[in-house]
């Protein structure tokens, strides 16, 4: 694999390839996909830091229109074309994504864009079966359900992972009042646009999220993931521990 030196140039190649499938849905769909991928720092971080391993099984919960699928596939294409940059982790070439999404329209858009490149399931994360996975990704989705349901989803995600498997979770930190309040305002507007005007949004502090994940047998690391935005988003990378606690909870 040829390596290029410019990370900025490589990211542009990657954006082009990841957003290209959405042209099938028209210019608006393409602009939406490209804009979201370009502006949200989590997408670049996912591929540049190696959080999705090559040839791994990925479960994307709350997948929307399949942006992560497009990014993973584009990473393989970018690497094959010799445009993978120095300083980035190994590309997630060959990773297979299963997406779960509640909104039927978003599932249709994902399937239209990606065809057979991934499997998209229209279903509720609270009741849909989770297939076995090496990585589970949940970005900005859990606060739409109750604390009890959040705990149940996290436990089922843990059960889907092997020892050493990884849960990548982005949440809002309720302890960061201003940024979190702005996040809630935006999410309420999104829920209203989807016909969920009275949806109750439920958050936790970063300490509470970390404690819950640790109780499930995860080793947890966190870092801010809101660069360039007014939000209070934090990325939690939770790895199934190899110690007695993690092994016990794997059963």
């Amino acid at each position: 694999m040829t390596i290029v030196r410019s990370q900025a140039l490589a990211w542009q190649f990657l954006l082009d390839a990841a957003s290209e499938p959405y042209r099938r849905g028209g210019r608006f769909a393409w602009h939406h996909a490209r804009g979201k991928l370009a502006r949200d720092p989590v997408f670049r971080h996912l591929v540049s830091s190696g959080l999705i391993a090559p040839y791994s099984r990925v479960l994307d919960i709350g997948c929307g229109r399949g942006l992560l699928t497009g990014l993973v596939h584009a990473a393989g294409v970018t690497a094959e074309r010799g445009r993978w940059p120095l300083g980035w982790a190994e590309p997630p070439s060959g990773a297979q994504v299963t997406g779960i999404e509640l909104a039927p329209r978003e599932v249709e858009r994902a399937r239209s864009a990606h065809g057979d490149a991934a499997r998209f399931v229209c279903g509720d994360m609270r009741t849909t079966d989770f297939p076995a996975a090496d990585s589970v990704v949940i970005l900005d989705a859990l606060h739409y359900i109750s604390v009890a349901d959040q705990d149940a989803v996290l436990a089922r995600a843990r059960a889907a992972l092997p020892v050493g498997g990884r849960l990548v979770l982005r949440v809002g930190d309720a302890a960061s009042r201003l940024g979190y309040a702005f996040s809630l305002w935006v999410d309420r507007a999104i829920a209203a646009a989807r016909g969920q005007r009275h949806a109750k949004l439920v958050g936790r502090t970063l300490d509470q999220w970390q404690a819950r994940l640790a109780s499930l047998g995860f080793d947890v690391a966190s870092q801010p993931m809101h660069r360039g935005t007014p939000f209070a988003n934090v990325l939690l990378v939770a790895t199934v521990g190899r110690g007695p606690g993690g092994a016990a909870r794997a059963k």
Side-chain angles (χ1 to χ4, degrees):
M1 179 177 65
T2 304
I3 303 294
V4 300
R5 293 188 177 276
S6 171
Q7 294 183 5
L9 183 59
W11 178 237
Q12 290 304 310
F13 287 137
L14 192 51
L15 282 177
D16 289 342
S19 56
E20 183 63 26
Y22 293 93
R23 288 189 186 275
R24 300 182 188 121
R27 290 188 61 82
F28 177 79
W30 176 77
H31 280 292
H32 177 276
R34 187 176 178 86
K36 177 66 173 174
L37 289 167
R39 290 192 299 268
D40 191 331
V42 74
F43 291 110
R44 179 167 173 167
H45 181 76
L46 285 173
V47 293
S48 65
S49 61
L51 290 178
I52 298 175
Y55 302 101
S56 60
R57 300 163 300 172
V58 181
L59 176 60
D60 184 10
I61 299 175
C63 67
R65 58 191 64 184
L67 293 178
L68 181 61
T69 293
L71 188 68
V72 167
H73 177 72
V77 171
T78 301
E80 288 173 3
R81 294 178 179 175
R83 293 167 175 172
W84 201 253
L86 290 169
W88 282 15
E90 188 177 2
S93 302
Q96 296 296 313
V97 182
T98 297
I100 296 175
E101 170 57 41
L102 179 64
R105 184 176 297 179
E106 294 292 87
V107 174
E108 290 174 7
R109 289 167 173 162
R111 289 171 177 167
S112 175
H114 300 296
D116 296 331
R119 176 173 175 255
F120 296 103
V121 177
C122 186
D124 191 321
M125 73 176 96
R126 294 170 293 186
T127 56
T128 301
D129 290 338
F130 294 169
D134 301 300
S135 295
V136 176
V137 179
I138 313 177
L139 302 179
D140 312 323
L142 285 181
H143 60 291
Y144 289 103
I145 60 178
S146 69
V147 168
D149 287 333
Q150 290 172 5
D151 287 346
V153 168
L154 290 173
R156 291 170 56 229
R158 165 64 189 88
L161 291 165
V163 173
R166 183 182 291 136
L167 169 64
V168 181
L169 178 68
R170 189 166 68 175
V171 296
D173 180 6
S176 179
R177 294 187 178 181
L178 184 60
Y180 185 70
F182 187 81
S183 298
L184 288 182
W185 180 84
V186 171
D187 289 333
R188 287 192 181 103
I190 293 173
R194 293 176 176 174
Q196 301 169 324
R197 187 174 299 277
H198 302 293
K200 183 179 180 181
L201 305 181
V202 181
R204 310 188 199 199
T205 67
L206 176 58
D207 287 345
Q208 289 169 335
W209 284 114
Q210 290 176 314
R212 181 55 186 159
L213 291 169
S215 75
L216 291 169
F218 287 107
D219 299 324
V220 188
S222 68
Q223 69 179 100
M225 194 52 61
H226 56 262
R227 177 179 52 81
T229 77
F231 306 129
N233 291 334
V234 179
L235 193 71
L236 298 169
V237 179
T239 305
V240 178
R242 298 181 181 277
R249 291 174 178 83
K251 296 179 181 179

